[in-house]
Amino acid sequence: MNSLLLLILLFLIGIVIISLFQSLRSKITRLLSWRLSAIIAGLYLGFLAMLVPILYLLPANDFIKTVENKEQAISNSQILMNDLYNQKFPSEEDLAKLEGVYKNSSHTFKVDSNKLSINLRTKTGSYHVLIQEKDVDDNEINVSAYVTAQYMGEVNFTKQLAPPAISLKNGILFLTTPNYQTLEFKQFNSDFTVDQFKHQNSNNGLSTNFGEQIIYIHVPKNLEINRDGLEDRIQLIGARQKLIQRAQ
Amino acid sequence: MSVIQCQNVTRSYGKLKAIDNLSFAIEENKLTGLIGRNGAGKTTLLKLLAGYLKPTSGEIEVFSQKPFNNLEGSSKTMFVNDTMTFPDSFTLIDILSEVAPFYANWNSNLAKGLLDYFSINPKQPHSKLSKGSKSTFNSILGIASRCPLTIFDEPTSGMDSAVRKDFYKALLKDYLEYPRSIILSSHLINEVEGILEDILLLNQGVKSLHLPVLELKKFAIGLRGNAQVIQRFVEGKELIYQEEFAKGYLYVVLRSELIQPELKLVRQSGLDVLSISTDDLCIYLTAKSRGGIDYVFKRS
Amino acid sequence: MFLKEADLLSFSFKQFVYKLKAHSNLLYGLMLIQIIALFFSIGGVSHMSSSNGELSVSVNTYSASLVIGFSFIWIFFIGILLTTKQYKKIELPLVTSSLSGNLSDIGFLMIASIFGSITSTLVGVLQRIILYISFDQTQIIFDKFLISFYDLVLGIVIGTLYMILISALGYLIGSITKLSMAFVLIIPAIIFGFLRVYTDFFQKVLLVYTKEAALPLFALKVLITVIILFGVSSLLSPNKEVSQ
C-alpha cells in the first residue's frame, strides 16, 4: 500500500514537471531549432555513453567486496556462541582459524600484581571473556580481542569495528568498549527493469547480524583471578577451570 | 479528363447544409476560381476536395478516387489555407527543405526565390509570422509544390495589395510554365478574374454557375430607364436583379441571351443598355434577397 | 496494390523523418526529467539502519529506478501528446493519410523509447560515478556498483520494451479521447474505478508483464500487446475528419 502511494506521488510529480515544462516550452523552444535539439540530445547521449568506459576504468581496489561466504560465517558464529553457552570453549588456535571470526587487536601486559581482576565497561552483553592459564609463568598477560561475523545485508563490516580499549593497571584489566561507532555503506541495486529478469531478491531483507566479541586472555601460571559478580561473562578454561572445580 | 468530379454532394454540419446537392466537374489543367460570399461553403467544398472532410452524401472523385483519407490523393493535392501549421523547431527555410521530399514536382529554387523576393526573414518559425506573411509563405509552398491539383483557400487574406498582385503574377507565370489544375477561392472576384479561366460561383452551398470567365463577362446585361418601358421588354423573363433607383425608373439585370434578339429595339426605346461586371454579376447572383441592401432601407 | 503499399511505407518514412526533427525538442523534457530524477535519487532510494548500543550500521541503497520510472511517465505523456490536435496538425501540409500519420507517430515513439531507455539506464552509470567521487571507496559496496556490460545492455533492452509498451498505451488513450472529449473524463474514471473494484484483476494483468522472468517471452508479450494497442489506435482514426 505504501509503495502504491509512493508510485502515485511520483506520478503526480511527473505530471507537474511535465506540465510546467510544457508551459515553458513554447517560450523557450522557439529559439531552439531542431538542429540544436538534436545536437543537445546527441551530446547528452554521448556524455552518458562516455561514462561507461570511465566507470570500468575507475580504480576499484578499496571497494567493499562481498565475496565471503556469509552463510558459513554466520552459522560458525552461531555454533561458537552455542558452544560458549554450553561451556564448550575452543582453543585460541581454533578460534582464530574459524571462518568469519576476526582478530581485532592483541595486547601484551607485564603482570604488575599477583591478582587479576577484570573491569568490564561495556554497553552491551556481547563481550565474552575467556581466561586461559599458560603452562609457564612468564609474567605476561596476553589479551586478544576477536569479533564474530557482523553483517548488514551482504556487507561484512566485521573488520571495520573499532577494538575495545584494553589496559592493565594495578592488577585490574580494564576493558572498555570503543566510542559509539557509526558505519555507513553505499550499496547499488539493479534497476527494477533488470531485477525482473535476475533471479535474486537482494533489495528486500537487509537483515543485520551483530556479532559477539570474544576476549581471549592468557595469564601466567598461578595468577589469581578475581571475577566477582561476572562469573557468567568471564570464563576460566583449561587447567584453571579444573582446579577451581576441584576446590569447590 | 476531369480532375474533379462531384455528384450530388451534400455536406451538413448538424442541420445546416454547408454544401447542398452540388454537382460539377473540373477539367485538367484549368485555373478555376471558386467564388462565393462569406459562408457560401467555399472552404467546406475545398476541404471535401482535399480529403479533410467526408461528404454527408454524394460522390466526390479527385483523380478518379475518393479523396478522404487517401494517400495517393494527398500526394497529388496541395491544400493551402491559413490554418497550415508547421513545427516551431523548423525555420521557414527548414520548412522548404523538409516539405520538399513529399512532393515529386517540388521546385526548390522557385520556393527560395519567392521567399527571397517577398523578403520574409527565412530564419524565423512559421508561428511567428504575421497574418500577411503567413499567407504569403503558405502560397509560396502552394506554388512551389507544383502539385497536379493545387488548392488555395483565400490565399491573399492579410496580404497587402502589392504582395497580392505579385502573388497572382507569380501564380499565373508558374501555371503557364507548368500547367496544372488550380482552384483558387476568393470572395473578391474582380481581383482574380484576370488570371482565372473558369469561375465556379457558389451561393449558400448551391452552385450558381460554372462558366469560363470570358462567357461570364457576357453572361448578363443591364437595362436602365423608364419602368414601364422596361416592364414591356422583360415581362415573363427571369430577372437576376431588379432595382427601382428612382421613382418610376428601374434597373434590371437579366441573362444576355434572353434579351439579345430585342437589343436593337431596347436601345431605340431610350433605355440604357449596360454591361455587367463579373463582380456585380456575382453580387447579384448571390444576393440573399432580390433588391439588395436598398430593399432593407425601403422597408424600414 | 504493391505500388500503393510502397507509397504508404515511403511516405510514412518521410513523415517519420519529418516528425523526428519536428518533435526533437520533446527530448528536452526527457533530459530535464531525468536530471530531476537523478537529484531525487542522489540521496539513495532506500535507507536501512540498525544499531546495538555501541554501533550503528546503515546502508543507503541507490539505483537508477527512479530515473527510469520518470522516463516511463514521460513516454506515456508523449504517447498522448502525439495524438493531440496540435501535434496532428503538422501532418496536414504533408502528403498524409491517417495510417501514414499513425505509422510515423509509432516510429517516433519507438525512437523516443530507445533514446529514453538508453539515457535513463546510463544515468545509472552517472549516478555511480557521482557516488564514487563524493564518498570514500571503503563505504561503497562493490557488488553491483560495477554494473556489468551485459546488465547495462539488458537494462536498455528491457527499458525500451517497457517504454514502447507504455507509449502504445498512452497513444491508445490519446486516440480514444480524440473520438470524443467525453472520454477525457470517462477514461480516468474507468481506470480508477477498475483499480478500486478489480484490484486483483488489474494486478494480474500487470503481473503478466512484471513477473515474466524470461526475456524472449516478455518481449513476445510486449510485442503482441503493442501491436494490439497501436492497431486499435489506428483503427480508431480513419473515420476521423480533420478539424481545425
Side-chain angles (χ1 to χ4, degrees):
Chain A
M1 200 58 222
N2 212 352
S3 65
L4 190 72
L5 212 70
L6 191 75
L7 203 74
I8 291 170
L9 194 74
L10 286 183
F11 195 72
L12 289 178
I13 292 172
I15 292 174
V16 169
I17 291 168
I18 287 177
S19 53
L20 209 78
F21 190 72
Q22 283 297 323
S23 61
L24 282 175
R25 202 182 60 91
S26 57
K27 288 186 188 110
I28 300 168
T29 52
R30 298 217 164 161
L31 304 166
L32 301 172
S33 72
W34 72 267
R35 283 185 194 89
L36 192 58
S37 313
I39 289 169
I40 289 176
L43 285 177
Y44 182 70
L45 184 65
F47 167 71
L48 290 175
M50 204 185 64
L51 295 177
V52 177
I54 290 179
L55 179 74
Y56 291 132
L57 290 176
L58 287 179
N61 312 321
D62 298 335
F63 284 111
I64 304 164
K65 291 176 183 153
T66 57
V67 285
E68 291 162 62
N69 191 341
K70 178 188 175 186
E71 302 303 318
Q72 184 63 46
I74 287 178
S75 86
N76 279 351
S77 324
Q78 277 164 352
I79 291 165
L80 179 66
M81 285 307 118
N82 216 25
D83 287 352
L84 290 184
Y85 183 76
N86 293 321
Q87 307 275 317
K88 261 174 70 187
F89 304 113
S91 70
E92 189 170 356
E93 290 78 35
D94 289 343
L95 186 65
K97 269 188 263 171
L98 206 58
E99 192 184 345
V101 175
Y102 172 66
K103 192 174 185 178
N104 236 346
S105 66
S106 65
H107 305 261
T108 304
F109 301 105
K110 281 258 175 266
V111 175
D112 60 354
S113 162
N114 56 355
K115 277 192 202 167
L116 181 71
S117 53
I118 290 167
N119 188 339
L120 267 183
R121 294 190 286 199
T122 62
K123 298 190 187 84
T124 60
S126 66
Y127 286 81
H128 306 270
V129 180
L130 305 180
I131 301 178
Q132 189 171 37
E133 187 177 280
K134 287 188 264 190
D135 297 334
V136 291
D137 193 354
D138 59 356
N139 252 6
E140 276 184 355
I141 299 173
N142 307 98
V143 186
S144 300
Y146 292 87
V147 271
T148 64
Q150 314 227 11
Y151 277 90
M152 174 131 189
E154 293 293 317
V155 189
N156 183 343
F157 57 88
T158 322
K159 292 177 187 174
Q160 296 192 21
L161 291 180
I166 300 169
S167 60
L168 181 74
K169 208 173 187 185
N170 301 329
I172 303 169
L173 190 73
F174 293 95
L175 209 147
T176 318
T177 45
N179 290 333
Y180 192 79
Q181 223 184 329
T182 310
L183 295 176
E184 271 184 48
F185 300 106
K186 316 288 170 192
Q187 174 184 274
F188 262 94
N189 262 356
S190 317
D191 304 328
F192 67 95
T193 40
V194 176
D195 251 358
Q196 184 181 334
F197 296 90
K198 298 215 139 188
H199 309 276
Q200 42 187 243
N201 40 356
S202 50
N203 48 347
N204 44 14
L206 269 182
S207 61
T208 314
N209 289 80
F210 285 111
E212 308 274 329
Q213 333 272 328
I214 297 161
I215 314 296
Y216 224 105
I217 307 176
H218 289 274
V219 294
K221 214 173 173 179
N222 304 325
L223 189 70
E224 195 180 321
I225 309 285
N226 170 19
R227 43 169 196 158
D228 289 341
L230 289 167
E231 285 85 355
D232 53 333
R233 293 176 66 184
I234 300 173
Q235 309 288 342
L236 304 175
I237 51 177
R240 173 73 64 155
Q241 190 180 16
K242 285 171 211 149
L243 195 80
I244 289 168
Q245 275 167 354
R246 215 172 298 141
Q248 283 166 348
Chain B
M1 193 199 114
S2 294
V3 171
I4 296 171
Q5 199 122 38
C6 285
Q7 274 300 321
N8 308 101
V9 173
T10 299
R11 167 69 202 201
S12 34
Y13 294 105
K15 279 186 179 168
L16 180 83
K17 282 183 177 167
I19 297 293
D20 192 1
N21 204 22
L22 186 67
S23 301
F24 69 96
I26 288 179
E27 299 301 307
E28 198 178 20
N29 299 344
K30 287 265 183 204
L31 213 168
T32 309
L34 179 63
I35 309 297
R37 306 184 132 195
N38 295 329
K42 296 190 297 288
T43 300
T44 304
L45 177 60
L46 295 181
K47 280 185 177 172
L48 285 166
L49 296 179
Y52 284 25
L53 300 175
K54 267 197 302 193
T56 312
S57 65
E59 293 279 321
I60 301 178
E61 281 193 350
V62 177
F63 300 110
S64 318
Q65 283 185 339
K66 287 186 180 155
F68 183 73
N69 193 25
N70 185 323
L71 191 66
E72 203 187 325
S74 176
S75 70
K76 291 181 183 168
T77 309
M78 180 71 168
F79 183 32
V80 175
N81 62 2
D82 57 1
T83 55
M84 284 175 122
T85 317
F86 296 94
D88 277 346
S89 39
F90 291 151
T91 60
L92 297 182
I93 197 81
D94 286 339
I95 294 171
L96 294 184
S97 54
E98 295 306 328
V99 167
F102 287 88
Y103 296 100
N105 305 325
W106 181 266
N107 186 333
S108 108
N109 288 337
L110 181 63
K112 280 176 189 147
L114 287 172
L115 191 64
D116 190 42
Y117 176 81
F118 287 111
S119 50
I120 301 171
N121 174 13
K123 296 257 179 233
Q124 52 183 332
H126 189 263
S127 60
K128 280 239 172 135
L129 293 174
S130 69
K131 178 138 178 45
S133 304
K134 209 176 262 182
S135 297
T136 312
F137 181 79
N138 294 349
S139 302
I140 291 172
L141 287 179
I143 294 172
S145 68
R146 289 189 161 174
C147 270
L149 172 62
T150 311
I151 301 172
F152 293 94
D153 186 13
E154 304 273 1
T156 57
S157 62
M159 290 184 196
D160 61 43
S161 77
V163 175
R164 276 169 198 234
K165 282 180 183 148
D166 279 339
F167 161 66
Y168 287 127
K169 256 188 227 165
L171 180 65
L172 187 61
K173 259 181 132 55
D174 199 53
Y175 168 68
L176 293 174
E177 189 182 317
Y178 194 93
R180 54 210 196 252
S181 306
I182 296 176
I183 301 178
L184 189 69
S185 90
S186 177
H187 51 268
L188 300 166
I189 185 169
N190 49 356
E191 202 179 271
V192 289
E193 67 177 326
I195 62 164
L196 296 181
E197 290 171 291
D198 284 356
I199 280 183
L200 177 62
L201 183 65
L202 213 56
N203 183 27
Q204 291 178 298
V206 181
K207 181 173 84 176
S208 274
L209 51 82
H210 184 194
L211 285 175
V213 176
L214 291 176
E215 283 179 38
L216 191 68
K217 283 184 175 156
K218 296 180 287 185
F219 181 74
I221 210 159
L223 306 179
R224 192 168 62 185
N226 188 291
Q228 284 173 340
V229 182
I230 286 181
Q231 281 298 346
R232 221 172 58 216
F233 284 107
V234 301
E235 192 77 61
K237 286 170 186 151
E238 190 194 346
L239 298 181
I240 294 169
Y241 181 71
Q242 168 173 7
E243 182 190 345
E244 192 176 12
F245 67 94
K247 194 91 183 140
Y249 286 89
L250 213 55
Y251 169 58
V252 297
V253 177
L254 71 169
R255 297 222 306 274
S256 316
E257 58 190 48
L258 295 177
I259 198 83
Q260 204 68 41
E262 301 162 87
L263 215 51
K264 229 175 198 170
L265 218 60
V266 171
R267 287 216 175 84
Q268 284 165 1
S269 315
L271 296 178
D272 293 334
V273 177
L274 306 161
S275 66
I276 305 293
S277 73
T278 47
D279 189 22
D280 285 341
L281 177 62
C282 288
I283 292 170
Y284 298 151
L285 282 170
T286 58
K288 297 226 163 54
S289 54
R290 304 264 147 120
I293 189 106
D294 293 338
Y295 186 67
V296 178
F297 286 97
K298 213 172 266 179
R299 277 202 310 183
S300 56
Chain C
M1 197 60 203
F2 173 73
L3 202 68
K4 273 188 184 172
E5 276 159 19
D7 276 356
L8 175 66
L9 288 181
S10 106
F11 280 118
S12 301
F13 184 75
K14 284 173 184 170
Q15 252 184 59
F16 159 71
V17 174
Y18 185 89
K19 283 181 181 174
L20 214 51
K21 293 173 180 172
H23 301 331
S24 57
N25 48 25
L26 291 175
L27 296 178
Y28 290 120
L30 178 72
M31 293 182 243
L32 186 74
I33 216 169
Q34 286 180 344
I35 291 165
I36 289 169
L38 176 66
F39 275 113
F40 279 149
S41 44
I42 219 105
V45 286
S46 72
H47 179 89
M48 264 235 14
S49 84
S50 37
S51 77
N52 63 9
E54 54 192 50
L55 176 67
S56 145
V57 192
S58 64
V59 173
N60 257 4
T61 308
Y62 298 82
S63 78
S65 292
L66 196 67
V67 179
I68 296 173
F70 271 37
S71 304
F72 283 9
I73 296 171
W74 174 80
I75 196 75
F76 179 71
F77 280 96
I78 298 301
I80 293 177
L81 200 65
L82 288 194
T83 63
T84 57
K85 217 184 269 179
Q86 197 196 343
Y87 279 80
K88 274 283 165 194
K89 249 162 61 173
I90 68 156
E91 289 170 7
L92 289 179
L94 313 174
V95 174
T96 185
S97 68
S98 74
L99 191 55
S100 77
N102 286 325
L103 286 176
S104 55
D105 281 342
I106 292 167
F108 177 80
L109 288 174
M110 296 219 171
I111 292 295
S113 296
I114 293 170
F115 183 83
S117 179
I118 292 176
T119 50
S120 58
T121 307
L122 291 184
V123 166
V125 175
L126 174 61
Q127 204 184 357
R128 283 168 167 82
I129 290 175
I130 290 174
L131 204 76
Y132 182 88
I133 294 165
S134 37
F135 292 103
D136 198 56
Q137 271 189 57
T138 51
Q139 283 189 290
I140 301 169
I141 298 161
F142 185 71
D143 195 19
K144 282 170 193 151
F145 176 83
L146 197 76
I147 185 168
S148 72
F149 195 71
Y150 171 77
D151 276 7
L152 220 51
V153 174
L154 185 69
I156 288 170
V157 170
I158 297 160
T160 304
L161 287 171
Y162 264 120
M163 284 182 88
I164 290 173
L165 179 68
I166 291 167
S167 73
L169 190 66
Y171 197 74
L172 177 66
I173 289 174
S175 302
I176 293 172
T177 48
K178 253 181 88 185
L179 289 182
S180 161
M181 279 311 278
F183 286 112
V184 174
L185 294 175
I186 293 171
I187 289 178
I190 287 175
I191 290 174
F192 282 107
F194 253 98
L195 268 174
R196 285 195 74 107
V197 182
Y198 299 103
T199 317
D200 283 354
F201 173 76
F202 197 78
Q203 274 175 350
K204 267 180 200 152
V205 171
L206 270 183
L207 290 182
V208 168
Y209 304 100
T210 57
K211 278 284 171 248
E212 179 55 66
L215 187 56
L217 221 57
F218 174 75
L220 189 70
K221 282 178 181 177
V222 170
L223 192 73
I224 292 170
T225 318
V226 163
I227 288 171
I228 292 172
L229 292 175
F230 279 133
V232 173
S233 308
S234 303
L235 286 178
L236 288 176
S237 39
N239 289 315
K240 186 77 183 139
E241 293 185 331
V242 175
S243 53
Q244 290 176 331

